[in-house]
């Protein structure tokens, strides 16, 4: 487990592709439990250790995830997330080259829990949710492009389905139209940067992790 930042109230981890943030029906050990084990061992704490999940990223996605070490931090971070005060920037390695070098995508998305899949639908479709993101092309190669993505809304699988919908699925993302899988079973999408005001100390937190190895070939 790669810890990028830690203080008395929060801990931020660089999640690997394939890890789950919170427990699910697979029964696999989630990152939240690994963080608890780490805190218990590091601080020699008896009994239960508090570890609040602030937000999640999809299992095949890697990158920065915030956990709260105190209930005060969790409450405040949840409110900040709701207000859009936690800014996350993603990098995606996509197939092909977008027609527009930079653009704002607006779609209505519908999530199907049974299939664990999201699709683009008409605005009047049942449970359709307005979804927006902005992207900028960082680099291009013969077959792939790196896009920097900023979410303007937070929907399930939003980046994956919207980039696929414009004809540029994320490398390795078979669920949303990629031609082949990645060797590690993950997809080439990383929560690369995070920016927010600390919920307790009020200092600015600005963190960044390196690009994925398959992105380095284009940089």
């Amino acid at each position: 487990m790669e810890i990028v930042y830690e203080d008395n109230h929060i801990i931020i981890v660089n999640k690997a592709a394939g890890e789950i943030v919170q427990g699910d029906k697979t029964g696999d050990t989630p990152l939240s439990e690994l963080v608890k084990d780490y805190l218990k061992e590091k601080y020699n704490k008896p009994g239960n250790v508090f570890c609040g999940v602030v937000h999640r990223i999809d299992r095949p996605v890697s990158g920065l995830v915030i956990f709260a070490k105190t209930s005060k931090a969790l409450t405040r971070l949840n409110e900040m997330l709701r207000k859009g005060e936690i800014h996350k920037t993603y990098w995606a390695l996509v197939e092909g080259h977008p027609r527009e070098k930079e653009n704002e995508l607006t779609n209505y998305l519908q999530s199907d829990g049974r299939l664990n899949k999201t699709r683009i639908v008409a605005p009047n479709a049942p449970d359709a949710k307005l979804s927006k993101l902005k992207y900028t092309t960082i680099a291009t190669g013969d077959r792939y492009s790196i896009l920097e993505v900023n979410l303007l809304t937070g929907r399930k699988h939003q980046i994956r389905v919207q980039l696929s919908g414009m004809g540029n699925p994320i490398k390795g993302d078979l669920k949303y139209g990629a031609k082949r899988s990645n060797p590690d079973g993950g997809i080439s999408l990383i929560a690369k940067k995070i920016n927010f005001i600390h919920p307790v100390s009020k200092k600015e937190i600005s963190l960044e992790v390196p690009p994925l190895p398959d992105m380095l070939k284009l940089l």
Side-chain angles (χ1 to χ4, degrees):
M1 186 174 67
E2 183 188 345
I3 296 165
V4 180
Y5 177 89
E6 182 183 0
D7 62 28
N8 290 336
H9 292 277
I10 62 175
I11 183 167
I12 302 175
V13 176
N14 186 13
K15 180 182 104 62
E19 288 183 316
I20 49 172
V21 173
Q22 213 167 9
D24 65 8
K25 61 187 178 185
T26 64
D28 294 341
T29 303
L31 198 52
S32 57
E33 287 300 319
L34 296 179
V35 172
K36 278 185 184 179
D37 291 344
Y38 158 80
L39 294 173
K40 194 167 185 174
E41 186 177 339
K42 180 176 180 180
Y43 299 103
N44 197 23
K45 291 195 171 191
N48 282 335
V49 175
F50 185 88
C51 176
V53 176
V54 177
H55 65 106
R56 291 177 290 178
I57 54 179
D58 297 343
R59 185 166 193 160
V61 179
S62 59
L64 294 163
V65 181
I66 308 168
F67 296 94
K69 292 169 65 175
T70 62
S71 56
K72 179 201 285 189
L74 180 62
T75 301
R76 292 181 183 180
L77 285 165
N78 282 339
E79 181 66 8
M80 289 166 63
L81 194 67
R82 190 183 68 78
K83 290 179 175 177
E85 294 171 353
I86 298 175
H87 306 288
K88 291 177 284 182
T89 302
Y90 292 80
W91 277 23
L93 184 66
V94 300
E95 295 182 2
H97 310 108
R99 282 193 289 273
E100 305 284 341
K101 196 174 173 78
E102 54 185 81
N103 203 0
E104 181 176 314
L105 303 182
T106 300
N107 300 105
Y108 284 83
L109 302 184
Q110 181 190 71
S111 184
D112 186 333
R114 292 169 304 162
L115 297 175
N116 189 29
K117 192 168 184 179
T118 298
R119 60 177 70 89
I120 294 172
V121 293
N124 60 352
D127 301 320
K129 292 182 178 175
L130 178 65
S131 307
K132 295 182 178 183
L133 63 76
K134 287 183 177 177
Y135 75 83
T136 302
T137 305
I138 300 291
T140 56
D142 292 339
R143 294 187 296 143
Y144 297 101
S145 303
I146 299 173
L147 308 184
E148 183 170 277
V149 180
N150 287 285
L151 288 171
L152 303 180
T153 57
R155 310 299 184 202
K156 185 174 181 179
H157 297 180
Q158 183 180 336
I159 297 174
R160 300 166 66 182
V161 69
Q162 286 196 274
L163 295 185
S164 176
M166 74 171 187
N168 303 102
I170 294 168
K171 181 176 177 288
D173 197 1
L174 296 178
K175 180 171 278 193
Y176 291 103
K179 292 186 177 69
R180 57 185 66 84
S181 60
N182 285 344
D184 65 358
I187 65 174
S188 300
L189 176 64
I190 182 170
K192 193 174 186 303
K193 307 174 193 176
I194 203 156
N195 244 106
F196 61 97
I197 301 301
H198 194 286
V200 181
S201 72
K202 304 304 178 187
K203 73 175 182 178
E204 184 179 1
I205 304 291
S206 184
L207 300 167
E208 186 170 352
V209 290
L212 297 171
D214 57 3
M215 294 175 174
L216 293 174
K217 299 167 188 172
L218 300 190
L219 294 171

